[in-house]
């Protein structure tokens, strides 16, 4: 871990005048009192606004509900974590000993928070125009793939429609495990495409949420494959 942060900056396309801001953005609270929590707060607001503006411009006839759902899908924790992994952000994070032992550099929450913090640092270092350019660059592919007509449909519905359009069999969902106490359970569900011998697993606090998570992962597999 602790790869050169300047490589991350190069991947973002922003040259930091104040490298101390980038260092702070990559420092988790477990590593010391000067950490990325405040920058995370700032970055979260910036991402939300920039993506909202981009959607407003791209979809002039979409109503407020559709715009909100599209934005929520784009900026959710899992989406930000995936972007962070693409940047190898986890390799540059500074974590305390406990988080290092438990694999914090690969955890969705820490990666998503780290990306928000880095974008907050870009803003303080280069201003709004620089931040907007970086954010739109990061989200370019996802914005291109966003469909206003499908914004209100959940992953299971979208997966079913995609398979039906291709005349393929519908997926099979199977509960693999239920862990935890009755009031705090975690479900693990598999989603299987028999005709492709392809299976993914999703987790959630209910069977429905786990199935939706698995369907979302399967959609990503189909998109990337």
């Amino acid at each position: 871990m602790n790869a050169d942060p300047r490589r991350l900056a190069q991947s973002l396309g922003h040259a930091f005048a104040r490298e101390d801001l980038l260092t702070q953005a990559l420092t988790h609270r477990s590593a010391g009192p000067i950490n990325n929590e405040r920058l995370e707060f700032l970055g979260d607001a910036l991402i939300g606004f920039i993506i909202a503006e981009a959607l407003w411009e791209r979809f002039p006839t979409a109503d407020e509900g559709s715009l909100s759902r599209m934005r929520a899908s784009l900026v959710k924790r899992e989406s930000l974590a995936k972007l962070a992994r693409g940047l190898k952000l986890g390799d540059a994070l500074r974590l305390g000993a406990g988080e290092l032992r438990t694999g914090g550099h690969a955890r969705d929450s820490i990666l998503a928070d780290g990306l928000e913090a880095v974008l907050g640092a870009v803003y303080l270092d280069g201003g709004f125009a620089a931040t907007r350019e970086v954010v739109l660059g990061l989200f370019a592919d996802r914005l291109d793939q966003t469909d206003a007509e499908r914004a209100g449909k959940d992953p299971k519905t979208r997966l079913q429609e995609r398979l039906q359009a291709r005349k393929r069999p519908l997926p099979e969902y199977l509960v693999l495990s239920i862990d935890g106490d009755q009031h705090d359970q975690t479900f693990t569900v598999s989603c299987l495409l028999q005709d492709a011998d392809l299976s993914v697993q999703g987790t959630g606090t209910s069977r429905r949420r786990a199935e939706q998570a698995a369907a979302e992962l399967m959609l990503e597999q189909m998109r990337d494959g």
Side-chain angles (χ1 to χ4, degrees):
M1 300 304 106
N2 289 335
D4 188 347
R6 286 173 293 187
R7 292 183 182 177
L8 174 64
Q10 289 174 354
S11 298
L12 290 170
H14 178 76
F16 278 84
R18 290 186 54 191
E19 292 189 0
D20 61 303
L21 284 171
L22 179 57
T23 299
Q24 183 177 347
L26 294 169
T27 302
H28 187 256
R29 65 178 179 272
S30 63
I34 301 177
N35 55 59
N36 62 9
E37 286 188 317
R38 284 171 55 84
L39 288 172
E40 172 199 335
F41 166 78
L42 189 57
D44 176 49
L46 287 160
I47 295 170
F49 175 77
I50 292 167
I51 294 301
E53 180 190 45
L55 292 170
W56 186 83
E57 291 176 348
R58 282 171 177 251
F59 302 101
T61 61
D63 60 23
E64 179 187 3
S66 294
L67 291 170
S68 295
R69 286 189 290 271
M70 286 188 284
R71 179 182 60 183
S73 177
L74 286 165
V75 305
K76 64 184 179 181
R77 173 180 291 178
E78 294 81 4
S79 299
L80 295 179
K82 188 171 182 179
L83 287 173
R85 288 190 179 93
L87 293 166
K88 299 188 184 303
L89 187 147
D91 293 345
L93 286 172
R94 299 175 64 196
L95 304 173
E99 290 292 352
L100 282 172
R101 282 195 302 271
T102 57
H105 65 280
R107 193 173 305 136
D108 278 5
S109 58
I110 290 179
L111 288 171
D113 291 348
L115 181 60
E116 289 174 344
V118 167
L119 293 171
V122 171
Y123 171 73
L124 293 179
D125 185 72
F128 181 76
T131 310
R132 185 176 186 274
E133 182 177 353
V134 171
V135 170
L136 293 181
L138 284 173
F139 283 87
D141 289 344
R142 285 166 173 75
L143 283 167
D144 288 343
Q145 294 166 2
T146 299
D147 185 343
E149 292 183 1
R150 293 173 178 254
K153 298 180 180 179
D154 61 62
K156 284 186 67 176
T157 301
R158 288 188 282 118
L159 178 59
Q160 178 175 318
E161 290 181 348
R162 180 173 296 187
L163 292 169
Q164 287 176 329
R166 299 179 182 181
K167 295 181 170 54
R168 295 178 58 181
L170 295 182
E172 296 181 17
Y173 296 94
L174 177 66
V175 176
L176 300 178
S177 66
I178 304 174
D179 300 312
D181 298 329
Q182 185 69 32
H183 65 283
D184 186 25
Q185 293 183 324
T186 298
F187 290 73
T188 301
V189 171
S190 68
C191 175
L192 171 66
L193 297 186
Q194 290 278 11
D195 63 336
D197 194 24
L198 179 62
S199 178
V200 297
Q201 295 181 15
T203 60
T205 54
S206 68
R207 176 173 179 168
R208 179 181 177 279
R209 289 180 178 177
E211 289 177 347
Q212 298 289 4
E216 185 69 56
L217 289 172
M218 184 62 77
L219 284 165
E220 292 180 6
Q221 287 281 341
M222 294 175 66
R223 186 162 54 237
D224 295 339

